[in-house]
Amino acid sequence: MSEPRISVVIPYRNRAANLRLALSALADQTLPSGAFEVVLGVLDDDGEHAAVCRELPGLDVVTVSSGRPWQVGSARNLALRQARGDVVVLMDVDMVLPSRSLEDLWDRHFAYGQRVCVVGQMIDYDNNTGDVTAVDVRPYRHYRKILDDLQATGTTGQDPRMTADHVIPWSFAWTALIALPET
């Protein structure tokens, strides 16, 4: 297999239902599966992630694990060290990407060697109003319909990270989707 164009890097800890949704959406991408890889940085592992990965055999998933205690940055850095793509996409395990996301990222922003950073907007998520204490995970088809409707209408609410006052200007990127060239 040739080197992937895009490496999708995801930190992971004990959220199999979320991982199943994220990987289902990645398996549903219009970018050919050989053009991207998924690299999971796994810390504090319960072992469930391997079973979820086996559910999607057409998806190129690399797992890098360590026995270190959970820390999202450590998990992300662990995965980043194994990323082989020309472009690295950082995303969280509780995200579902629209089916054209990776193809659009490549075609519109990176296909000609552009040196840019692309930041994605999250929809239907707000952790600015308090701690997240419970997560209601619905079937993938629920999220796929929302994303298909969004693609058809092109309308969405504003991501609260884009409007919140921050002490550190780059803090809007503390999570979510960021894509940038590997070098």
Side-chain angles (χ1 to χ4, degrees):
M1 181 173 128
S2 64
E3 293 293 311
R5 293 177 180 168
I6 295 176
S7 292
V8 180
V9 170
I10 304 173
Y12 175 77
R13 174 182 87 165
N14 301 341
R15 288 188 174 174
N18 293 67
L19 181 62
R20 183 173 290 109
L21 290 172
L23 293 182
S24 294
L26 290 168
D28 218 8
Q29 292 295 300
T30 57
L31 185 69
S33 61
F36 71 95
E37 67 178 351
V38 179
V39 186
L40 298 178
V42 179
L43 297 180
D44 198 18
D45 185 17
D46 64 2
E48 291 185 21
H49 81 280
V52 172
C53 293
R54 284 191 294 273
E55 293 172 14
L56 301 155
L59 200 58
D60 181 13
V61 180
V62 175
T63 298
V64 186
S65 62
S66 172
R68 287 182 246 166
W70 172 253
Q71 203 284 327
V72 69
S74 293
R76 187 174 285 124
N77 289 338
L78 188 67
L80 274 168
R81 288 185 198 103
Q82 298 302 314
R84 299 177 300 133
D86 298 322
V87 172
V88 175
V89 174
L90 305 174
M91 66 176 267
D92 289 340
V93 74
D94 56 356
M95 297 185 70
V96 178
L97 296 182
S99 60
R100 292 194 47 84
S101 292
L102 296 181
E103 184 175 11
D104 285 348
L105 270 172
W106 180 259
D107 290 347
R108 294 180 184 188
H109 302 288
F110 299 106
Y112 301 102
Q114 299 96 312
R115 311 241 346 119
V116 298
C117 177
V118 179
V119 179
Q121 178 170 321
M122 293 190 310
I123 299 166
D124 198 30
Y125 181 82
D126 181 9
N127 69 347
N128 288 329
T129 57
D131 289 336
V132 176
T133 58
V135 178
D136 180 24
V137 179
R138 297 181 180 162
Y140 174 61
R141 68 181 176 277
H142 167 81
Y143 300 103
R144 178 62 197 254
K145 180 178 180 343
I146 291 171
L147 294 172
D148 287 346
D149 291 348
L150 174 64
Q151 188 169 344
T153 63
T155 59
T156 181
Q158 180 71 27
D159 183 335
R161 296 170 309 136
M162 303 299 182
T163 59
D165 291 330
H166 297 291
V167 175
I168 303 170
W170 50 262
S171 64
F172 72 89
W174 73 77
T175 189
L177 181 79
I178 300 172
L180 60 159
E182 186 272 330
T183 56

